Amino acid sequence: MSWKLTSFDLDDESLVINESILSIGNGYLGVRGNFEEGHEEGTKSIRGTYINAFHDETEIIYGEKLYGFPDTQEKVLNVIDAQTVRIYLDDEPFSLAQGQVLEFERCLHMDRGFTERIVHWRSPGGKEVKIHYRRLVSFVTKELFALDIQIIPISQIDRIRMISTINGDVTNFFDKTDPRVASGHARRLHVTEALQENGISIVKDTTYVTELEVACVSSSSITAGSWEYNSWPGEHTLEETYLCKGDEPIYFTKYALYTDTIRHGADVTKEGLKLLQQVKEMSFEELLAQQKQYLDAFWKVSDIVIDGDPHVQESIRFNLYQLLQSVGKDPASNIAAKGLSGEGYEGHYFWDTEIYIFPVFLMTHPEISKNLLLHRYSILEHAKERAREMGHKRGALFPWRTIAGMESSAFFPAGTAQYHLSADIAYSYIQYYLATKDEEFLTRYMAEVLFETARLWADTGHMQAGKFRIDGVTGPDEYTCIVNNNYYTNVMAKHNLLWAVKVYRLLAHQDPGHLSQLIDRLGLAEAEVEYWQTAGENMYLPYDETLKINAQDDTFLQKARWDLLNTPSEKFPLLLNYHPLTLYRYQVLKQADTVLAHFLLEDEQDFDTIKNSYDYYEEITTHDSSLSSCIYSIMASKLGYAEKAYRYFDETARLDLDNIHKNTKDGLHMANMGGTWLGIVYGFAGMRLKESGLSFSPVLPAEWNSYEFHVRYQGRMLKIHKNRESAVYTLLSGKDLEITHEGELLYLANGEEVVV
């Protein structure tokens, strides 16, 4: 389960694989490892781009700067660089940009949790050496970054010098003249401490605005025939030099522990030293053994085995591994739209988390999904404040893009106006409850979130002619903004409202004491709950009698249709070539909107309406957003469009590995990676998670011989296998269970296979 690159091109950033990340601090201070350690210019981080409110695109159209961004405090920050190690062979610097690369191999071991590079290199002066790099960030000790280097001299070399540095003077990429990237200040941290004591290097940085601290505590060791050691503390950078004889192998290891204010308290240095003491006696091999044990448990549940398509097999594992690396492992963090693989979006979270990524962890590692929900709960007060800022008397309006809870979008038509995010979050809480039956979570967290989001809808919409209507919002499709009665928004709000009522009634029956406390704390009145029910039951869902489809909004079908077939290929994505107001005047979609609603809440419409809507909207959808193809694949599977289902899925699976959208350099598309898993489990396998239980309608793509995956459900583990002849369901652990296959009930006993 390793991913290899045997070709090398310094200019091809699309070949860069982000290997492991630490998430630290105010929306993450990330440690990145992407280029060769010995590059003469030092280790680099990917040049990220600041993307605008429309996913993946630039902000300049016809030379006009349409929207700027606030100099927000909420950014993912590049932190103290502890990975740079420069190597000199008799004063000749090792550099892949010079000399001759005789052999090169780079491998990402997704089953063992580390990367390695093996380089056979000859210097311009004829010095020949083999260098073997291995690096990891521990899944077990999340603060730990470890580096292991083996140097084997091939030709005559007198001295090999290694310079290991820790640099606290770090920046984020920005360009005030290029609105595609961050336009604020590149330097967000300043060094407040840099010292070396008893062979330990300590660098501490502080953020300029929030005064959060991050520390890097590091130590290194070397095994060589003979060597000399020197160290130089500087104002911003600590440097250690090992001067070794050049006729024997050298083994070098370096451990760096990262601590931050949010997770480790006021004395980050003390905590870093404590963690270093715990791990420094462990060898790199022992760390690798820990990584493998962690990943064995992860892949046991998460792996999807595809027989018949090695390219898809490679991509699904790559995507799942990147999701695991990037997702927050505690309630202090979430998952950025670009993960921690690039500076696109500045590390902000969107609704991508709840709709595209959350289900992956919910059905495989629910403890991670719970942390994602706890993080949203932790910013609930900010969401309530945001609702007041937007003129609402009550309720919670979660920000469209955020880290710590503040709205970071400055282009409100395609940002803040996407009120659906509050319903998306409520939807994920409901899905978590259905998958886990975690009653304590419902009582302590879910009820309050559903009540406050329901309040938002009650205050945003209004009753007219017996129907509840929601005006002036933007749905998922960012080529259509500020509309009345967006179908997706309305149907998700309906789900939110009615479940809030359901949870209120449930608590009144099961835990009236806690409900009474909530009522007092929130100032909740019974009349509000009754209005939620009225609004939900009478929600207006646009429908066109002529086309027999759900209209995307009140006026969408009145617009002229964009002629996608005769639009030149160089004009895509449309946002790069047309003014947003031009796009708003046409029937043209950037991504799935009504079709997405039909996936999430399919029971709201009959099959024919869903099919008609799919056929209609597919013709005018550009898929300029990476969030789109996976949804069209899933719904094509439901509708029996086998060829379309696989074509859309293939685009989803290979999007980053093949750089299909030509912007992987800005960071990986994490929602699309989640969409790959959704495309198999919810698409081809037809899984649905509803109040009535778990159901499947599996189909097998013609390109495959079989597929197999696992899901967790209410304390149970199920294995699902689909081949050309049958579907096989196995309850591997937990109490006996009834599921639905193609509309028929199946009884699963623990340890037994049921073959259909």
Side-chain angles (χ1 to χ4, degrees):
M1 196 186 292
S2 298
W3 199 82
K4 293 187 177 182
L5 288 173
T6 54
S7 61
F8 180 75
D9 184 348
L10 274 176
D11 295 326
D12 187 358
E13 289 187 294
S14 69
L15 295 183
V16 172
I17 302 175
N18 191 58
E19 50 194 42
S20 288
I21 300 297
L22 283 173
S23 304
I24 303 174
N26 181 24
Y28 310 64
L29 305 162
V31 175
R32 238 176 227 101
N34 301 307
F35 292 78
E36 280 54 46
E37 292 86 346
H39 192 281
E40 62 179 346
E41 296 178 6
T43 304
K44 299 180 178 179
S45 57
I46 295 177
R47 274 178 43 141
T49 58
Y50 196 142
I51 311 302
N52 74 358
F54 294 91
H55 283 303
D56 306 339
E57 318 304 349
T58 65
E59 298 175 359
I60 291 289
I61 300 174
Y62 301 128
E64 177 187 359
K65 185 170 183 179
L66 295 175
Y67 13 80
F69 285 88
D71 190 13
T72 175
Q73 299 175 14
E74 296 196 1
K75 301 175 187 291
V76 166
L77 303 182
N78 295 326
V79 290
I80 303 160
D81 176 11
Q83 60 189 338
T84 299
V85 179
R86 301 194 301 276
I87 300 171
Y88 295 83
L89 312 178
D90 289 337
D91 296 325
E92 283 192 275
F94 166 70
S95 170
L96 292 172
Q98 301 175 5
Q100 185 178 4
V101 178
L102 303 175
E103 293 178 73
F104 180 90
E105 181 177 329
R106 175 167 52 181
C107 187
L108 170 63
H109 295 281
M110 298 182 290
D111 56 343
R112 298 165 65 193
F114 74 100
T115 60
E116 68 177 341
R117 296 176 176 88
I118 303 172
V119 186
H120 186 181
W121 182 77
R122 183 183 296 129
S123 74
K127 309 292 182 180
E128 195 171 327
V129 67
K130 281 190 175 181
I131 304 177
H132 185 186
Y133 298 95
R134 295 183 296 176
R135 294 193 288 194
L136 64 84
V137 170
S138 175
F139 285 115
V140 179
T141 304
K142 293 186 290 291
E143 297 86 351
L144 173 64
F145 165 71
L147 166 68
D148 180 79
I149 303 175
Q150 178 184 2
I151 303 174
I152 302 175
I154 304 299
S155 67
Q156 176 62 38
I157 302 172
D158 294 327
R159 297 278 183 176
I160 295 177
R161 181 161 45 108
M162 302 180 67
I163 302 176
S164 173
T165 64
I166 301 180
N167 179 21
D169 188 24
V170 292
T171 62
N172 277 64
F173 182 75
F174 86 106
D175 185 347
K176 288 184 179 294
T177 67
D178 187 348
R180 293 172 298 180
V181 298
S183 57
H185 301 291
R187 185 165 277 102
R188 294 281 171 175
L189 296 159
H190 63 99
V191 180
T192 55
E193 185 176 55
L195 57 92
Q196 289 172 321
E197 295 179 344
N198 303 318
I200 297 175
S201 299
I202 301 170
V203 175
K204 184 167 70 176
D205 281 12
T206 303
T207 59
Y208 280 109
V209 179
T210 56
E211 297 186 347
L212 292 169
E213 292 183 328
V214 57
C216 177
V217 177
S218 177
S219 69
S220 57
S221 62
I222 195 167
T223 301
S226 64
W227 49 274
E228 300 173 7
Y229 172 82
N230 281 294
S231 63
W232 289 274
E235 183 180 359
H236 303 297
T237 303
L238 303 179
E239 196 169 272
E240 296 178 300
T241 297
Y242 294 89
L243 186 62
C244 308
K245 289 183 63 177
D247 57 355
E248 293 181 334
I250 298 168
Y251 301 90
F252 173 83
T253 59
K254 181 177 183 178
Y255 293 172
L257 279 300
Y258 287 82
T259 52
D260 68 275
T261 304
I262 291 177
R263 291 170 178 81
H264 302 93
D267 197 337
V268 292
T269 301
K270 179 181 177 181
E271 292 302 310
L273 288 168
K274 186 187 300 183
L275 287 167
L276 179 62
Q277 291 300 317
Q278 294 174 8
V279 302
K280 73 175 185 178
E281 299 303 321
M282 297 181 67
S283 67
F284 196 84
E285 301 302 326
E286 289 173 319
L287 292 178
L288 289 178
Q290 276 191 345
Q291 290 284 85
K292 186 177 186 304
Q293 184 177 14
Y294 180 96
L295 285 166
D296 283 348
F298 172 76
W299 289 116
K300 181 180 179 180
V301 183
S302 300
D303 193 19
I304 296 180
V305 180
I306 308 294
D307 180 14
D309 195 331
H311 292 290
V312 169
Q313 182 67 86
E314 176 185 68
S315 62
I316 184 61
R317 285 175 173 160
F318 178 72
N319 292 351
L320 286 169
Y321 185 78
Q322 294 296 339
L323 286 169
L324 176 64
Q325 285 196 126
S326 296
V327 71
K329 308 299 192 301
D330 57 41
S333 54
N334 199 275
I335 183 168
K338 295 291 186 183
L340 292 169
S341 59
E343 296 184 48
Y345 298 125
E346 293 191 303
H348 293 142
Y349 320 139
F350 297 76
W351 65 295
D352 305 25
T353 297
E354 280 71 30
I355 301 303
Y356 293 87
I357 300 171
F358 173 84
V360 180
F361 294 108
L362 173 63
M363 302 308 296
T364 57
H365 297 275
E367 70 281 0
I368 294 178
S369 69
K370 183 176 181 178
N371 281 332
L372 293 173
L373 298 181
L374 290 175
H375 176 77
R376 289 294 195 184
Y377 181 83
S378 75
I379 62 173
L380 179 59
E381 290 304 314
H382 287 297
K384 292 162 70 173
E385 292 170 9
R386 182 61 174 165
R388 306 302 172 272
E389 291 173 5
M390 297 299 293
H392 298 288
K393 299 180 183 67
R394 58 179 61 87
L397 175 60
F398 283 92
W400 184 65
R401 58 183 294 171
T402 189
I403 293 174
M406 285 73 76
E407 177 64 78
S408 297
S409 170
F411 185 58
F412 76 90
T416 295
Q418 294 200 43
Y419 270 45
H420 65 82
L421 191 138
S422 288
D424 300 335
I425 291 172
Y427 181 88
S428 68
Y429 273 78
I430 296 162
Q431 289 283 293
Y432 176 80
Y433 176 70
L434 294 178
T436 65
K437 287 297 179 182
D438 188 340
E439 300 290 349
E440 181 186 8
F441 184 85
L442 178 145
T443 302
R444 294 186 60 186
Y445 306 106
M446 175 177 165
E448 185 175 355
V449 170
L450 263 59
F451 295 167
E452 292 293 357
T453 49
R455 280 176 150 178
L456 175 77
W457 299 118
D459 196 65
T460 303
H462 63 102
M463 293 294 297
Q464 183 184 30
K467 290 293 183 180
F468 190 80
R469 302 167 187 268
I470 301 174
D471 298 330
V473 297
T474 298
D477 171 34
E478 294 161 10
Y479 285 172
T480 310
C481 292
I482 313 296
V483 299
N484 296 341
N485 297 304
N486 168 252
Y487 176 82
Y488 177 92
T489 302
N490 284 22
V491 77
M492 292 291 283
K494 174 182 177 179
H495 187 66
N496 190 166
L497 287 160
L498 294 181
W499 260 94
V501 175
K502 187 175 298 184
V503 168
Y504 183 91
R505 305 296 183 210
L506 183 67
L507 285 181
H509 176 69
Q510 294 184 353
D511 196 344
H514 182 79
L515 178 60
S516 179
Q517 293 175 13
L518 264 181
I519 289 172
D520 291 342
R521 180 159 62 86
L522 303 180
L524 184 62
E526 177 72 26
E528 283 188 76
V529 181
E530 292 174 358
Y531 187 68
W532 299 345
Q533 185 160 356
T534 299
E537 290 177 346
N538 294 281
M539 183 66 69
Y540 173 62
L541 301 178
Y543 181 80
D544 185 273
E545 291 287 353
T546 302
L547 297 171
K548 306 296 183 185
I549 69 172
N550 287 113
Q552 185 166 305
D553 56 67
D554 282 356
T555 61
F556 185 82
L557 298 178
Q558 300 171 18
K559 301 173 184 177
R561 284 169 63 108
W562 191 286
D563 186 1
L564 290 180
L565 290 178
N566 292 310
T567 301
S569 59
E570 64 270 15
K571 292 293 186 179
F572 291 92
L574 299 184
L575 185 61
L576 294 181
N577 298 283
Y578 300 94
H579 196 287
L581 289 177
T582 299
L583 299 175
Y584 298 166
R585 295 182 182 117
Y586 285 85
Q587 290 187 48
V588 62
L589 283 73
K590 187 181 182 185
Q591 62 211 89
D593 193 300
T594 302
V595 173
L596 174 60
H598 287 158
F599 162 51
L600 298 177
L601 296 171
E602 63 183 14
D603 293 337
E604 288 290 340
Q605 302 296 335
D606 60 40
F607 183 87
D608 289 341
T609 299
I610 292 173
K611 181 180 183 298
N612 294 339
S613 295
Y614 183 97
D615 294 341
Y616 187 88
Y617 291 113
E618 184 191 25
E619 293 182 359
I620 51 175
T621 302
T622 64
H623 307 292
D624 285 345
S625 168
S626 63
L627 307 183
S628 191
S629 290
C630 63
I631 302 303
Y632 274 86
S633 173
I634 292 168
M635 293 308 290
S637 290
K638 175 182 175 65
L639 298 172
Y641 298 151
E643 187 277 329
K644 286 182 180 180
Y646 196 79
R647 174 167 54 83
Y648 283 126
F649 173 81
D650 194 50
E651 292 174 7
T652 298
R654 301 293 302 184
L655 188 140
D656 279 311
L657 285 177
D658 295 342
N659 196 21
I660 291 172
H661 280 206
K662 309 302 180 186
N663 63 350
T664 297
K665 64 183 176 59
D666 303 332
L668 300 171
H669 300 76
M670 305 311 295
N672 178 81
M673 289 181 155
T676 308
W677 185 92
L678 294 174
I680 298 172
V681 176
Y682 283 83
F684 301 134
M687 190 188 83
R688 296 294 186 270
L689 172 62
K690 300 178 184 178
E691 196 171 2
S692 58
L694 202 60
S695 64
F696 298 87
S697 298
V699 296
L700 182 69
E703 292 81 359
W704 300 354
N705 299 317
S706 68
Y707 58 83
E708 182 176 291
F709 62 91
H710 298 78
V711 294
R712 293 190 184 277
Y713 176 69
Q714 296 183 4
R716 304 166 175 91
M717 176 116 88
L718 287 79
K719 181 174 71 174
I720 295 89
H721 178 90
K722 180 72 175 80
N723 55 37
R724 298 195 187 282
E725 292 77 34
S726 62
V728 183
Y729 300 94
T730 309
L731 180 60
L732 298 176
S733 64
K735 297 179 181 179
D736 295 355
L737 175 68
E738 279 190 343
I739 64 170
T740 302
H741 168 88
E742 299 284 2
E744 299 293 330
L745 283 177
L746 294 182
Y747 182 80
L748 304 183
N750 193 329
E752 294 182 4
E753 290 185 351
V754 175
V755 181
V756 184

